[in-house]
Amino acid sequence: MAGLRERQKADRERRILKAAVTRFRAEGYRSVRIEDLAEMAEVSVGTVYNYYQTKGDILIATVAMEVEEVLEAGAAIVADPPPGADAALLALIFQYYDHSLEYLSKEMWRTAMALSIEAPGTPNGRRYSDLDARLAQQVTDLVRALQARGEVRGDLDARALGEVIFNNLNQMFIEFVKDDAMTLDSLRTRVAAQTRPLARLLAGAPPA
C-alpha cells in the first residue's frame, strides 16, 4: 500500500506541474491562478497546497524539472566528451540551451530569476541557487575530464575554470531570456564565438 500511495502522490505532482507548464506558457505566469492549475490537474486546490505553498513554488519546481533533465543528459557528455575542448564544452552548453524552453517560456524564466534574486534566502531562492551550483559543478566535471584526456592544461584550476565558463553561459542565457526576439541559433552562435578562443587558450602549452 505504501508503494501505491507514493505512486499516486508522484502522479498528482506530475499532473500539477504539467498543468503549470501548459497554463503558464499559454496564458502567462501572472494570469494563472492556483485554482486554474488544480482544475486542469484534476485535483483539489487543497491538494495543490499540500505540495506547494505558493505559485512561485510551482514555477521553481518547473525549473527544477527542467534542470534535472538537463543534468542527466549532461552526465552522458561528461562521461564521454566529444574530442577537442571546444567541441566538448559547446556540446554541454548547447545541450543546456536546447532544452531550456522545453517546459519554460522566456517569461517564465524571467519570473523565476526575479523570484530567486528578490528573495535569495527563501526556499525558492536557495533552490534556484542550488540548481545553478549543480550546473556549474557539471561544467567543472567536464573540465576535469578534458584535463584527464590532455585536452585542457592540467596546471589550471578546474573549479575556477568551470565557474568562469558557467558564469558566462549563464549570463548569456539571461541575455537570451531578456530579449524575446533573440533566437536559440543566435544565442548558440554568440556563445560559440566566445567559447572557441577560450578553449584554445585552455588547451595551449603552459608558460615556461
Side-chain angles (χ1 to χ4, degrees):
M1 289 296 292
L4 175 61
R5 285 195 296 271
E6 288 302 313
R7 288 195 298 274
Q8 290 173 335
K9 180 179 178 181
D11 178 65
R12 285 192 293 269
E13 186 169 18
R14 279 193 298 270
R15 297 205 312 265
I16 293 167
L17 291 180
K18 182 178 179 181
V21 167
T22 301
R23 298 296 288 267
F24 289 166
R25 287 178 72 106
E27 302 166 35
Y29 169 80
R30 289 176 177 81
S31 299
V32 177
R33 305 171 304 157
I34 294 288
E35 291 81 358
D36 300 325
L37 301 180
E39 180 181 10
M40 187 170 185
E42 298 182 333
V43 298
S44 69
V45 172
T47 296
V48 176
Y49 282 112
N50 284 340
Y51 290 90
Y52 305 104
Q53 294 183 5
T54 68
K55 192 168 67 168
D57 290 343
I58 300 173
L59 179 60
I60 297 299
T62 65
V63 172
M65 181 170 63
E66 180 89 52
V67 172
E68 291 294 345
E69 292 188 10
V70 159
L71 286 166
E72 183 178 354
I77 295 172
V78 173
D80 186 21
D86 57 342
L89 289 169
L90 289 174
L92 186 64
I93 293 168
F94 289 170
Q95 192 276 131
Y96 292 169
Y97 288 164
D98 291 348
H99 198 288
S100 64
L101 301 181
E102 187 75 18
Y103 300 126
L104 286 85
S105 64
K106 289 189 177 186
E107 186 255 359
M108 290 166 69
W109 274 114
R110 290 193 294 266
T111 304
M113 290 173 182
L115 287 172
S116 71
I117 293 168
E118 288 170 358
T122 64
N124 281 338
R126 290 193 297 270
R127 188 176 190 186
Y128 194 99
S129 294
D130 177 65
L131 293 169
D132 269 356
R134 291 172 64 193
L135 289 166
Q137 180 60 53
Q138 189 167 74
V139 177
T140 297
D141 292 343
L142 177 59
V143 172
R144 289 197 174 112
L146 295 171
Q147 286 179 321
R149 282 201 326 206
E151 294 178 338
V152 167
R153 285 168 41 189
D155 62 315
L156 299 175
D157 185 330
R159 177 170 294 280
L161 288 175
E163 290 174 351
V164 166
I165 294 166
F166 173 75
N167 288 341
N168 184 66
L169 73 88
N170 194 38
Q171 180 58 42
M172 291 303 297
F173 184 69
I174 292 171
E175 295 300 316
F176 171 67
V177 300
K178 282 166 53 179
D179 183 355
D180 283 326
M182 186 186 294
T183 65
L184 272 171
D185 282 344
S186 175
L187 174 64
R188 287 166 60 110
T189 298
R190 291 176 64 182
V191 172
Q194 297 163 357
T195 303
R196 288 192 176 107
L198 175 60
R200 287 194 292 271
L201 289 173
L202 301 183

